[in-house]
Amino acid sequence: MTASEDIVAQIHQLEDQRFGAVVAGDWDAFENLCDPELVYTHGNGVVDTREDYLKKCREGFYVYHRLEHPIDRVIVISPDTAIAVGQMYADVTSNGTDRQLSSNIIGVWTRRPEGWRLVAHQSTARPSSGG
């Protein structure tokens, strides 16, 4: 396995871990995967820091019931930076309102001394039909 293939495999595993933590409500595990400088951009344009997003999740503002996250590709920029590109389909309660999400997502990962950390998440609502 090449170094790039190894990074791709690692990022797929980390994406599984982060979305698994979200559905399980394991916010400590999610926090451990995220860089302190995390920029979390929601599909509605709201931007949260790591602390803002975790506070909302821990207080029940966001409750994830189901989440699928197929990753189409991982782009290895360098030995320390990779971008996961894919989709997210979720059933979530957001501020008391049940919603179904269908989004394109990008996750930017960087390797820190303590391991890979998510530094940016971008979610964009998928069009409901053709364009």
Side-chain angles (χ1 to χ4, degrees):
M1 180 179 284
T2 68
S4 287
E5 290 170 333
D6 183 53
I7 292 170
V8 168
Q10 288 178 57
I11 298 303
H12 275 278
Q13 183 180 36
L14 290 165
E15 287 285 307
D16 287 345
Q17 288 176 19
R18 87 164 164 128
F19 285 111
V22 166
V23 171
D26 187 346
W27 302 115
D28 291 338
F30 180 84
E31 182 175 12
N32 288 333
L33 293 169
C34 296
D35 194 81
E37 298 297 321
L38 175 68
V39 176
Y40 195 100
T41 305
H42 300 269
N44 63 2
V46 171
V47 179
D48 283 326
T49 64
R50 181 179 78 171
E51 289 71 28
D52 292 338
Y53 182 66
L54 284 167
K55 183 175 191 262
K56 289 175 182 177
C57 292
R58 287 179 169 137
E59 293 177 354
F61 185 91
Y62 296 118
V63 179
Y64 294 85
H65 307 287
R66 177 192 66 87
L67 202 148
E68 296 174 38
H69 59 98
I71 300 302
D72 298 326
R73 77 190 255 220
V74 174
I75 304 164
V76 178
I77 303 298
S78 75
D80 296 323
T81 306
I83 302 170
V85 179
Q87 295 97 50
M88 180 179 76
Y89 306 99
D91 295 330
V92 61
T93 302
S94 175
N95 196 22
T97 302
D98 291 335
R99 302 184 59 214
Q100 290 186 324
L101 304 179
S102 176
S103 304
N104 293 317
I105 60 168
I106 294 174
V108 180
W109 293 84
T110 192
R111 192 188 320 249
R112 300 291 194 198
E114 62 276 11
W116 286 97
R117 297 294 180 259
L118 181 71
V119 293
H121 168 92
Q122 170 73 50
S123 179
T124 304
R126 294 174 59 88
S128 55
S129 63

